[in-house]
Amino acid sequence: MGAFLIRRLVQSVVLLLIVTFLTFILIHQAPGGPSILLSPDIPPNEAERISESLGLNDPILVQYVRWLGGMARLNFGNSYQQTRPVTTVIAQRLPPTLILAGASLLVALLVAIPLGILAAVRRNSVFDHVATMLSLFGVAVPVFWYGLMLIIICGVWLRILPSGGLADDPSQFDLVDRVRHLILPTLVLGTTAMAQFTRYMRSGMVAVLQDDYVRTARAKGLAERTVLLRHAFRNALIPVITIVGVVIPRLIGGAAITEKVFSYPGMGSLAVDSAFQRDYPVVMGVTLLVGVAVIAGNLLTDLMYGWVDPRIRVGEGARG
Amino acid sequence: MAAESKQVAIPGVMAGNVRQTHRRSEWRAGLRVLLRNRVALVSVIFLVLIHLVAVAAPLVAPADPDFIQIGKRFQRPNAEFLLGSDENGRDVLTRLIYGSRVSLLVGSLSVLLSVTIGTLAGAVAGYRGGVIDSLIMRFTDGMLTIPTFFLVLIIVTVFGSSLRNIILVIALTSWMVIARVVRGDVLRTVSQDYITAARALGVPPARLVLRHVLPGAVPSIIVSTTLGVANAILTESALSYLGLGVQPPTSTWGNMLSGAQNYLFRRPELAIYPGVLIFLTVLAYNFFGDGLHDAMDPRYRHKG
């Protein structure tokens, strides 16, 4: 276990170095510098001076090493655009994203697990077909369009929910307002995640139910409920855990579209805006955070395997 | 010596013939299953139709997609504007028809590219094995863990959103699953006797892979292709929606949607049309892919 953790740590650090290095090169080599320097309010020689003072004229490798040095001291630098530390900018955008991601994940799992199990148990029944249709809807629907349709139905026709525009000023905290703003984006993100979870839950359950040990459990007269939940369910859960591990970082880093549709102040829109404005320190901060989220998701997945199926021992086996 | 090699060659040739006819009847059986699958059949017809309309857009479209008539904004559907007009008085039906071109072009070209990359990577990794295999597969796994839409967003924001860039970026971020699938198929095929026989006969590696190993992977490649097109169309429309796709006035389903977003209260149906088309196209590709999967997998054939 200890050796496993150390190996994973080394792998993670290497992965983070590669990802941040590539992103660093990518954004710095891109045409057009930081948009703050292109502002007409700043005279050209002033822009040149700022660019010099930010070290943007140094060779790219020097700049990357300097950024790494900052990282080592947990200094993420200041946002060019907002003249605040990157940590402050991210700290403000992260909680809404985490809340949205957590809520969607919860909704998706609460719907998908029973749906997938029931669909597998009553294979080829009407219920199964409806569940399949639902999950196909979630796979095929364009996220932004689905969001817009919900806005039209709930915000424009029924007028029961706000269509967007959650205040990102923490001082005006209003729990009811927060929750009302959360419902539609959660529904959108939750549906797409739910679609995938249902598919994996169903196919995992269908496969497991054909195994001999399930027949044995039934033969020894266990209640069907016990057979399904105590015996089959745990093993069928493994592919679902894998896909949850893939989805989590996506919810944290990639909910850009949903956030944009509902003008929700989270990480996704921060990533898009800062890439547009070539706000290098913020882009790098977001990239690092997403990278860490990916690694944490993978680690969590591997640990969950061991919890669901004790035969899978973390750290041994063929996964080199 | 000559007699000996002849004797080895004969069973090989015979096996080849048997496999050829076997394969032909496999395809025919598959086609039968596909035709019996009504949902897949309807999807194929829909896809053929929509591609024909896209190719023949100038012939089919009732108007000029960029012709602006400010005096005729937001018209209800009528004889001149079959589906009404948009915020600039342009014909919505015409713009939908022209918009299909971008979606379908990006869908097919980017997937063509990603399938090529994925097949190449998977075939080389599976066939060569060893260090090359682990290098390629570790890289593939690494790429798989990065949230691709995040990557696509940054690259397109930074390098600009030309049609070429969008196709390239989608291709470069979607080849990994195909590579894994092809590698698996290649590994399975390579261990079979007829490959050992072909190798013993001195068939050069490139020919061996192309003629004898890869055909075994064709079913999975085809299925991944249809699903890949569906995903590429979704990605393109999402980029367009965020304003990072092909730029107006050229219409795409995605940018028509983002244009319509500003008039949700006035004319919600302007936002409904392009979304329905994206949804149906993606759904049809999914059904088609599922149908192909069932048709090509012998285990499913007897159930249909």
Side-chain angles (χ1 to χ4, degrees):
Chain A
M1 189 70 187
F4 164 77
L5 280 180
I6 291 172
R7 206 177 64 221
R8 278 306 277 271
L9 201 66
V10 173
Q11 278 177 358
S12 307
V13 171
V14 172
L15 186 68
L16 282 181
L17 279 177
I18 295 175
V19 169
T20 54
F21 181 69
L22 287 181
T23 316
F24 201 87
I25 302 282
L26 206 67
I27 49 166
H28 280 78
Q29 295 308 98
S35 61
I36 187 131
L37 296 180
L38 302 175
S39 156
D41 302 337
I42 300 177
N45 54 342
E46 180 71 359
E48 185 52 37
R49 202 188 56 76
I50 296 175
S51 167
E52 183 67 43
S53 74
L54 289 174
L56 294 174
N57 299 338
D58 296 340
I60 185 85
L61 275 177
V62 174
Q63 292 191 45
Y64 179 66
V65 171
R66 193 186 303 133
W67 180 80
L68 272 185
M71 262 331 81
R73 281 169 278 130
L74 292 178
N75 177 8
F76 288 68
N78 285 321
S79 160
Y80 296 166
Q81 210 65 30
Q82 308 190 26
T83 58
R84 289 187 300 166
V86 171
T87 35
T88 315
V89 176
I90 290 182
Q92 196 180 0
R93 294 297 193 97
L94 192 57
T97 292
L98 288 181
I99 292 170
L100 178 57
S104 326
L105 200 63
L106 197 69
V107 169
L109 285 173
L110 283 181
V111 177
I113 289 180
L115 205 62
I117 293 178
L118 277 177
V121 172
R122 303 196 190 142
R123 199 142 69 105
N124 292 329
S125 68
V126 177
F127 183 84
D128 183 23
H129 291 307
V130 171
T132 308
M133 279 293 152
L134 260 178
S135 67
L136 260 171
F137 172 82
V139 171
V141 74
V143 171
F144 47 95
W145 180 69
Y146 179 39
L148 284 181
M149 291 304 107
L150 287 181
I151 291 179
I152 291 180
I153 294 169
C154 300
V156 181
W157 290 346
L158 303 178
R159 294 179 190 280
I160 46 173
L161 288 168
S163 60
L166 174 63
D168 69 346
D169 181 357
S171 63
Q172 303 173 333
F173 187 81
D174 175 359
L175 186 67
V176 176
D177 186 57
R178 287 269 151 136
V179 171
R180 279 163 50 87
H181 275 98
L182 201 60
I183 295 176
L184 291 185
T186 303
L187 213 55
V188 170
L189 275 182
T191 307
T192 47
M194 182 274 289
Q196 290 183 330
F197 298 163
T198 309
R199 275 188 147 180
Y200 282 87
M201 189 72 240
R202 179 185 176 277
S203 60
M205 204 65 185
V206 165
V208 168
L209 283 179
Q210 283 162 358
D211 280 354
D212 287 341
Y213 76 91
V214 170
R215 199 176 46 187
T216 309
R218 278 184 182 145
K220 76 183 178 181
L222 290 182
E224 187 63 18
R225 202 187 155 80
T226 321
V227 175
L228 290 180
L229 295 184
R230 297 285 306 261
H231 293 251
F233 174 62
R234 277 181 88 134
N235 280 312
L237 208 54
I238 290 176
V240 182
I241 292 174
T242 311
I243 199 75
V244 171
V246 173
V247 166
I248 289 178
R250 259 165 225 195
L251 287 178
I252 291 175
I257 306 169
T258 310
E259 289 178 8
K260 168 96 175 165
V261 173
F262 296 99
S263 44
Y264 189 87
M267 295 293 294
S269 44
L270 180 66
V272 179
D273 293 345
S274 54
F276 254 131
Q277 296 159 341
R278 306 281 191 280
D279 196 339
Y280 303 146
V282 178
V283 175
M284 292 310 296
V286 174
T287 306
L288 191 69
L289 189 83
V290 172
V292 170
V294 167
I295 288 164
N298 287 347
L299 189 65
L300 203 69
T301 311
D302 284 355
L303 294 178
M304 288 281 282
Y305 287 148
W307 175 71
V308 171
D309 185 348
R311 285 171 305 177
I312 304 177
R313 287 236 204 95
V314 183
E316 294 165 25
R319 243 187 134 245
Chain B
M1 203 53 187
E4 216 181 284
S5 73
K6 213 171 190 173
Q7 275 199 336
V8 175
I10 289 168
V13 168
M14 279 173 59
N17 279 341
V18 169
R19 229 176 51 247
Q20 281 296 310
T21 42
H22 178 59
R23 189 170 295 154
R24 213 169 296 138
S25 67
E26 286 260 298
W27 282 103
R28 211 173 294 145
L31 192 66
R32 243 197 333 268
V33 175
L34 190 65
L35 290 180
R36 229 184 296 139
N37 182 341
R38 235 172 280 146
V39 183
L41 194 63
V42 171
S43 303
V44 174
I45 294 171
F46 175 77
L47 289 175
V48 169
L49 274 180
I50 207 157
H51 279 84
L52 282 179
V53 168
V55 171
L59 302 174
V60 192
D64 176 343
D66 301 328
F67 183 55
I68 293 175
Q69 290 173 282
I70 290 298
K72 295 181 175 171
R73 307 171 75 206
F74 296 120
Q75 299 267 313
R76 300 269 159 204
N78 57 35
E80 189 186 353
F81 302 103
L82 288 175
L83 286 179
S85 66
D86 69 1
E87 73 272 19
N88 286 316
R90 294 171 298 195
D91 184 45
V92 169
L93 178 62
T94 305
R95 287 181 72 73
L96 285 172
I97 290 174
Y98 275 88
S100 70
R101 295 183 134 189
V102 176
S103 289
L104 299 178
L105 190 71
V106 170
S108 33
L109 283 188
S110 60
V111 169
L112 197 67
L113 208 59
S114 77
V115 166
T116 312
I117 302 172
T119 307
L120 212 63
V124 170
Y127 188 73
R128 294 297 296 274
V131 182
I132 294 179
D133 181 30
S134 20
L135 272 181
I136 293 180
M137 289 332 282
R138 285 299 83 74
F139 181 67
T140 309
D141 289 347
M143 286 288 293
L144 268 176
T145 53
I146 301 174
T148 39
F149 195 71
F150 180 70
L151 193 68
V152 169
L153 266 183
I154 290 190
I155 297 179
V156 174
T157 318
V158 163
F159 287 98
S161 49
S162 63
L163 193 59
R164 193 198 57 194
N165 281 0
I166 291 171
I167 292 173
L168 278 179
V169 128
I170 294 180
L172 290 177
T173 50
S174 61
W175 54 272
M176 294 84 73
V177 174
I178 299 173
R180 295 203 76 142
V181 171
V182 170
R183 174 176 175 272
D185 281 353
V186 166
L187 279 182
R188 218 179 42 227
T189 318
V190 160
S191 62
Q192 293 194 359
D193 288 344
Y194 73 90
I195 298 294
T196 318
R199 213 181 265 160
L201 282 172
V203 177
R207 190 182 144 85
L208 188 72
V209 170
L210 280 180
R211 292 288 304 270
H212 300 281
V213 177
L214 271 187
V218 164
S220 357
I221 295 176
I222 292 180
V223 174
S224 328
T225 305
T226 53
L227 299 180
V229 175
N231 281 327
I233 288 175
L234 277 181
T235 308
E236 185 277 329
S237 64
L239 286 174
S240 266
Y241 168 76
L242 289 176
L244 295 168
V246 173
Q247 295 300 309
T250 306
S251 67
T252 70
W253 291 340
N255 72 24
M256 289 181 74
L257 248 169
S258 69
Q261 190 174 13
N262 301 323
Y263 308 99
L264 274 191
F265 289 83
R266 224 167 135 180
R267 293 295 306 279
E269 64 269 34
L270 290 183
I272 297 178
Y273 302 136
V276 168
L277 281 175
I278 301 170
F279 178 59
L280 288 181
T281 310
V282 171
L283 200 63
Y285 267 110
N286 270 299
F287 280 135
F288 182 35
D290 284 353
L292 279 177
H293 172 84
D294 293 354
M296 288 178 171
D297 190 338
R299 278 173 300 171
Y300 284 86
R301 253 180 231 149
H302 306 291
K303 293 181 190 166

